[in-house]
Amino acid sequence: MKKQVTWIWILLCVLLFAACEKPVLENYDGGKKTGKGKDKLTRVVRIRPTELRVETIDEPLETKGQLLSRGVTDNEKGKKRLYAVNVYEKKPNDEGYSMYAYGLFTNPSKIAVKMNVENLYKVECLIVEEGADKLYSSDEGYSAPLTHGAKKATKAKNSFVFSKEENFNEIKKGETKIADARTILYPRLVKLYGNFEGFSPKATKDLTVDMKRTVFGLRFKVTPPDEGKLVIDYVGWRIALDSTSPAYDDMATYSFYNIEKACQDGYQSTVEVKIVWTKADGTVEQESKQLTLKRNVMTVVDIKVEGPKARNIMFKEEAAEMTTENVDWRLTL
């Protein structure tokens, strides 16, 4: 009998010890997770890239600055808007952040990722909104600046890929591959960039990332030349007119090359605008101008070329009265 009681007590102690080894963890979403000490408390955090509405305007090149419109026209409704998101993780004993996850989204409501409440996170996001230019895409996915790893195309799957080795490493660069397969530095589309560092998922399940526009506007108003052909080159784009062309008047929104700096208030960059006028007789006239482009400002450039003015030929008549001279000529024959 004593042996049976002894074994019963030993069994109860073993069960009690096992229960202490596996505590129940409550997570912030109301669920429960059981396991050993290696189990970690996690929660799903929704990331909300939100465009800031406070902007500044300026007066560029003696032309009244205009705030770029955010309204969507009928022609723009079918244009894509893509969200490229990088997430970095920093554990308590780490000195810096390391890659954690990345994802390309077309639906912002799907941007949610699991985070460990014991760690800190950094999030950066690039929004690309098609304009006059559209992004190049293939069966493999989207190209620059939405490539991941070693310039590999990325598909918009509306989900995150967890990786410590690769992510979107070119979203802060200006190179953009557009629909005609050209890679240009100043695409005619809208880019917004934002980042947030030091986020802790302990307190909240929502992270708002303030997105800033990295764009400038250009409107060219060009009078056709009286003769020959006129070519205007600017930021990788060209306007060509001849004497039979109608007057040119067009505007577009462009993205800056340096995305990270261009989202700062007051950012501006200087570029060269070059004009080449080939006259009817083959004479070539060239001129260039340094143009200052300002963040979120529409700059209007009015161009008119003229040849040298014709010089008037004037005839001045003598106003003095005619004088008389007498010649005496006497002959004795």
Side-chain angles (χ1 to χ4, degrees):
M1 185 66 179
K2 291 182 178 180
K3 290 183 178 181
Q4 292 178 348
V5 173
T6 301
W7 280 110
I8 292 173
W9 276 107
I10 292 174
L11 181 60
L12 290 175
C13 290
V14 171
L15 293 174
L16 181 61
F17 180 79
C20 292
E21 280 290 301
K22 296 182 178 181
V24 177
L25 300 180
E26 294 282 347
N27 67 25
Y28 285 82
D29 294 324
K32 295 182 179 181
K33 185 175 181 180
T34 63
K36 297 183 179 180
K38 292 182 179 180
D39 291 330
K40 298 177 180 179
L41 188 59
T42 61
R43 72 187 315 173
V44 174
V45 174
R46 188 168 301 282
I47 300 171
R48 305 181 188 276
T50 304
E51 180 180 354
L52 286 179
R53 296 298 181 178
V54 180
E55 302 288 357
T56 59
I57 58 176
D58 204 345
E59 291 199 1
L61 298 179
E62 300 180 355
T63 304
K64 185 177 181 181
Q66 302 175 31
L67 189 65
L68 300 185
S69 173
R70 296 185 182 86
V72 179
T73 64
D74 292 336
N75 293 331
E76 294 175 334
K77 289 180 180 179
K79 295 175 181 176
K80 296 177 182 176
R81 186 176 172 97
L82 296 167
Y83 302 76
V85 185
N86 284 329
V87 182
Y88 302 84
E89 183 182 53
K90 182 180 180 182
K91 297 179 181 179
N93 295 325
D94 291 345
E95 294 183 359
Y97 288 88
S98 59
M99 295 182 187
Y100 179 70
Y102 69 94
L104 185 60
F105 300 81
T106 57
N107 185 350
S109 66
K110 300 291 186 180
I111 307 177
V113 62
K114 183 174 67 175
M115 294 181 178
N116 188 320
V117 297
E118 298 176 355
N119 302 334
L120 295 178
Y121 293 86
K122 178 173 71 172
V123 175
E124 68 172 343
C125 178
L126 176 73
I127 300 177
V128 181
E129 182 180 295
E130 293 181 333
D133 291 325
K134 293 188 176 182
L135 292 169
Y136 175 86
S137 63
S138 63
D139 293 339
E140 288 75 28
Y142 291 94
S143 296
L146 303 177
T147 55
H148 66 278
K151 296 187 176 182
K152 294 180 286 187
T154 308
K155 292 184 178 181
K157 296 183 177 180
N158 284 309
S159 62
F160 277 100
V161 176
F162 292 89
S163 174
K164 293 186 176 297
E165 298 178 352
E166 59 183 22
N167 63 3
F168 296 115
N169 53 11
E170 295 189 327
I171 59 176
K172 291 186 284 189
K173 296 181 179 180
E175 288 88 348
T176 302
K177 193 170 184 179
I178 58 177
D180 62 3
R182 285 187 301 151
T183 298
I184 56 179
L185 302 184
Y186 297 88
R188 296 175 301 178
L189 46 74
V190 175
K191 293 182 182 180
L192 300 95
Y193 177 81
N195 60 64
F196 191 101
E197 185 172 334
F199 174 76
S200 173
K202 279 186 178 181
T204 178
K205 295 187 294 182
D206 291 284
L207 169 60
T208 298
V209 180
D210 293 332
M211 306 297 295
K212 300 291 289 293
R213 288 176 154 237
T214 63
V215 300
F216 62 92
L218 272 177
R219 179 181 180 182
F220 279 94
K221 301 170 69 175
V222 186
T223 301
D226 294 333
E227 59 172 298
K229 184 178 180 180
L230 183 68
V231 176
I232 303 166
D233 287 303
Y234 65 100
V235 296
W237 296 96
R238 171 171 290 184
I239 300 170
L241 302 174
D242 59 31
S243 58
T244 63
S245 301
Y248 182 91
D249 188 348
D250 193 30
M251 61 188 294
T253 301
Y254 303 76
S255 287
F256 279 109
Y257 176 78
N258 193 328
I259 301 300
E260 191 171 21
K261 290 185 177 179
C263 64
Q264 300 173 5
D265 290 333
Y267 178 81
Q268 61 185 41
S269 178
T270 301
V271 299
E272 182 181 49
V273 178
K274 187 176 181 180
I275 296 176
V276 178
W277 182 17
T278 304
K279 298 182 180 180
D281 61 1
T283 303
V284 177
E285 302 286 350
Q286 299 186 42
E287 188 66 47
S288 63
K289 182 178 181 63
Q290 296 298 312
L291 188 66
T292 300
L293 305 174
K294 298 185 179 183
R295 175 185 175 273
N296 215 42
V297 172
M298 177 67 69
T299 301
V300 181
V301 183
D302 201 332
I303 298 175
K304 183 177 182 180
V305 298
E306 296 178 339
K309 299 291 185 181
R311 296 185 178 180
N312 293 330
I313 300 176
M314 299 181 66
F315 297 91
K316 184 179 180 181
E317 297 184 21
E318 187 177 13
E321 294 290 338
M322 185 178 293
T323 59
T324 301
E325 291 186 359
N326 295 323
V327 177
D328 291 334
W329 190 2
R330 296 179 182 181
L331 296 173
T332 301
L333 298 175

